[in-house]
Amino acid sequence: MHAEKLQAIVLSTLDYGDSDRIASLFSLEHGRIKAFARGARTSRKRFGAALEAFARIEAQVRVREGLAGLQQAEIVTIYPRIRGDLPAIAHALYACEVVEAMTPEGHPLPRLYRLLAAYLDRLEAETAADDSDRRFFEINLLNILGYRPSLESCPRCDTPFGTVGALLQENGEPVCRACAPTGRPLHPSALKALGACMATGTFGKVVFPPDLLTEGGALLDRAIATHAGRRLKSLEFLGQVTP
Amino acid sequence: MRLVGELKKLPGIGERTALRLAFHLLKSPHNMTALAESLQEVRTRVHACSNCFAVTEDDPCAICTGNRDGGTICVVENSQDLMALERSNAYQGMYHVLEGAISPLGGIGPSDLRIPELLERVGRGGVNEVVIATNFTVEGEATALYLTKALKPYGVKVTRLAHGIPLGSDIEFVDAATVQWALQGRNEL
């Protein structure tokens, strides 16, 4: 079996024994894979600082069922500006954890790879990590993975939300007032702003006013918690270091 | 089999190595007694210093009670890092061991480390400089940035260990990330 050269983003790593490491990679070619990097903790020559969370690398991997073999990794970028900014680190690690929690193993998702890479590039370029960008990333991630929430009409009875808006349910589903008597009210503008995020496809094009950011954020937080199926550890730290 | 099971729990020791060690100990009862005694001694005598949290037999530890510069505190992730700095003979100040680093993906936050104790030490006064010597990993960088922010209200000088190309190495063999960092932190001569 020959080694393939993959473009990948390191999602997380796990030390194994004294000198090895298991890396969770999100690759353009194969989606999320777990790879065993023999000697990664001691071999500066073969891996250097490549196996650090959110580093973008070119990896030589023997892809096989179960654990792949990572032979060598070259750094494309370690995103030095992100590494010098605490809120940016928190956002980048959160994005990596969301992708790791919500993607299946060994299933190529090139659109999601490009979205994650664009988000990291955006964090690297921005002087301050912006919560609008996080929400832009999240709604597009849900859309790519097939978990897009219904933003125009009630998913239960198909009534358009129109100018009335919707009521947000615990599972992150916005429904009309006839289908659910209670729930967090969502203004139509918040739903429209989330829809615009999916229409533009470019970071920075949609800027959420603070109240819409809170409402849209509540929808995305609940939807991601429902679909991820586990508590995201990085979320608490993100809350601590961002306003 | 119990001994093999216990040995296997140690880092870097697999099934075969554990078996080999167990048979080696069985063949030399003297070694086994010495090992058992030293393990028992470590368990009863070694603990964390109540001031700096370094592993020590005495409390406060020899560094905290020694003739050192009390105005400088070097913050490290663990006692092994402290020992590495001590081996250099280049630092004469005090230490503070965090007992880890902030790891958002591992669920380790600032409150899980000895950060409140560090802030309390600095708050007591007499500290002019805090040298942050956490590792140059994402976790180490996050910890350094968090500490820098947390220490700002105390008005002390906060410094970070320098990083770049290792001594005795050829630039052509150094990885791109290290060269990138070295260029960013270049000094005027």
Side-chain angles (χ1 to χ4, degrees), chain A residues 11 46 63 89 104 114 158 182 204 236:
Chain A
L11 298 178
R46 282 196 300 139
V63 182
I89 289 177
R114 288 190 195 98
D158 215 24
T182 56
E236 191 181 331

Side-chain angles (χ1 to χ4, degrees), chain B residues 157-180:
Chain B
K157 183 178 170 187
V158 180
T159 54
R160 178 92 168 104
L161 285 192
H163 49 69
I165 294 163
L167 281 177
S169 62
D170 288 351
I171 292 175
E172 67 170 310
F173 297 118
V174 177
D175 65 90
T178 305
V179 173
Q180 210 172 10

Side-chain angles (χ1 to χ4, degrees), chain A residues 52 75 78 83 233-234 237 240, chain B residues 104-105 110 136-138 177 181:
Chain A
E52 289 266 307
I75 295 163
I78 56 160
R83 287 174 70 121
K233 292 174 186 170
S234 58
F237 184 66
Q240 283 175 7
Chain B
L105 294 180
F136 289 94
T137 57
V138 172
W181 280 109

